[in-house]
Amino acid sequence: MHDLLPGDLHFGLRQDLQELLTIVKQEVYRKLSRSLENRRHNLKKRFGHEETDTSTDDSQEDMFDEDAESLPVVERHHTMLLKAINSASSKETITELMNRTFHKRKDVILSFPANKRIVSSLREYPPLSDPQQLTADMLMVLGKPPSKGGAFTAECVKNVQTHSKSLVKFMVSKRLIDETDNEVKAAVTNLTKVFTTKRKGNLDQQLYITQTDQESTPVSTPFLLVNDGGEYIVMGNSEAPVCSHKKMEEAILGLMAVYHAFHLEYPIQAHNAYIFMEEFFLNGNPPKNSSYNTKVSVYAKFMGSMA
C-alpha cells in the first residue's frame, strides 16, 4: 500500500471537514427548529388564552427543550437541580429535574461510602425525603416510568394487604405466631422468621423495630419505627430518619424504596425477606437463590392449598 500523497491527504481532510460541517449545520438547524416551535407554542398560549400568566419566564419554559440524554445537558440539569433545591423552587420544577438527573445522581450517591450513603445523599438531595420522590427513584431503578408512582403505590399496597393475610395464616400454621387482627404488622414483623437468618437476635435482621429496642441498640440498616403519634418512620439507620407514613403498608414501600433510591444492598441477615417483598409486594423479578426458592416453594404450596 503506497503512502498518501499531499494532494490525497488534503482532499481527505476537506471531505472530513465538509461532512463535519454538514453534521453541525443539521444539529444547529434541529435545535433552532425545536426552539422556534416551542416559542410559537408559548406565544399561542399567551395570546390565545387570557387566563395564562403572561409574566412566565421564557427561559423557565424552554429549559427542558433539549436532548435529555446528552451528557452536557444532564450536567446542566444537575447544576440547575442543585440551584433549584437551594433556592426553594417549585416542587414541580425540582421533581422534573430530579427525574431528568437520575443517572447522574446515581453516580453521586454511589460515590458516598455505604455506611454514610443515606445521610450524605439526603444532605445533597433533600427531595429524597419526600415519599413520592423516593417511589419515583425506585421506579426508575426498576426500569419503570416515574410518572406511574400513584398507580404503582396503590397496586403495591393491595399486594401487601393480600399477602399479609396469607403470610399470617402460613405463620400460624407453622406455629411461628399466634392469631392476630393486625395482619400487616404481624406479617412484616415476623417475616424473617419464615426465612432462616444467619445471626438470630441481631436487630439488623429485623424490618420493624420498637422504640425501646432502637434506643437500646444501634441499628445500622434501614428499618421501620413507630413513634408515639402512631406514625411509621422509615429509618435509614438509628440516626437517619428518611420519611414518615400514616399507614404501615405505605411505610413498607418506603422501606423498600430506601434500598433502591440509595442503591444499597439488602442486609445478608434479612436478604431473603427483602427478596420476598420485592417479588410479591412490588411485583418485581429479583435474583433468587436456592435457600429462598426452597422457602418460597413451601409458602406457594400453602397458598395453593388455601385457594
Side-chain angles (χ1 to χ4, degrees), residues 129-147:
S129 63
D130 182 339
Q132 292 181 338
Q133 187 60 55
L134 268 179
T135 300
D137 271 40
M138 176 167 65
L139 283 170
M140 287 185 280
V141 171
L142 296 174
K144 300 179 181 180
S147 60

Side-chain angles (χ1 to χ4, degrees), residues 87-134:
S87 62
S89 296
S90 69
K91 182 176 180 180
E92 291 76 14
T93 297
I94 291 176
T95 297
E96 181 70 24
L97 287 167
M98 286 287 285
N99 293 344
R100 283 176 175 263
T101 56
F102 169 74
H103 294 291
K104 169 65 178 180
R105 289 189 294 106
K106 178 182 177 181
D107 292 339
V108 174
I109 290 172
L110 285 172
S111 71
F112 299 130
N115 62 334
K116 298 180 180 179
R117 187 170 298 162
I118 294 177
V119 173
S120 300
S121 299
L122 287 174
R123 189 181 297 119
E124 187 79 3
Y125 306 112
L128 286 175
S129 63
D130 182 339
Q132 292 181 338
Q133 187 60 55
L134 268 179

Side-chain angles (χ1 to χ4, degrees), residues 62-79:
D62 293 343
M63 71 178 183
F64 298 129
D65 184 30
E66 299 174 292
D67 180 6
E69 297 299 321
S70 72
L71 183 58
V73 172
V74 171
E75 292 290 347
R76 191 169 85 87
H77 285 169
H78 187 255
T79 301

Side-chain angles (χ1 to χ4, degrees), residues 87-233:
S87 62
S89 296
S90 69
K91 182 176 180 180
E92 291 76 14
T93 297
I94 291 176
T95 297
E96 181 70 24
L97 287 167
M98 286 287 285
N99 293 344
R100 283 176 175 263
T101 56
F102 169 74
H103 294 291
K104 169 65 178 180
R105 289 189 294 106
K106 178 182 177 181
D107 292 339
V108 174
I109 290 172
L110 285 172
S111 71
F112 299 130
N115 62 334
K116 298 180 180 179
R117 187 170 298 162
I118 294 177
V119 173
S120 300
S121 299
L122 287 174
R123 189 181 297 119
E124 187 79 3
Y125 306 112
L128 286 175
S129 63
D130 182 339
Q132 292 181 338
Q133 187 60 55
L134 268 179
T135 300
D137 271 40
M138 176 167 65
L139 283 170
M140 287 185 280
V141 171
L142 296 174
K144 300 179 181 180
S147 60
K148 302 296 184 181
F152 176 79
T153 297
E155 181 182 7
C156 291
V157 165
K158 186 177 180 180
N159 290 342
V160 172
Q161 293 169 341
T162 300
H163 283 286
S164 290
K165 292 180 180 180
S166 301
L167 280 167
V168 167
K169 290 179 180 178
F170 178 72
M171 292 173 184
V172 170
S173 73
K174 298 295 182 181
R175 298 182 180 179
L176 296 174
I177 63 172
D178 296 325
E179 294 279 359
T180 178
D181 293 329
N182 195 336
E183 294 169 324
V184 174
K185 180 180 177 181
V188 174
T189 304
N190 296 284
L191 189 56
T192 52
K193 291 182 179 180
V194 177
F195 300 98
T196 303
T197 56
K198 291 191 174 183
R199 287 188 285 173
K200 295 183 178 180
N202 190 323
L203 288 181
D204 286 352
Q205 76 181 14
Q206 298 182 26
L207 314 182
Y208 173 87
I209 298 173
T210 65
Q211 184 73 39
T212 303
D213 286 340
Q214 189 268 336
E215 290 174 349
S216 62
T217 307
V219 185
S220 62
T221 57
F223 63 96
L224 297 182
L225 179 72
V226 62
N227 64 14
D228 295 337
E231 286 186 317
Y232 295 96
I233 313 299

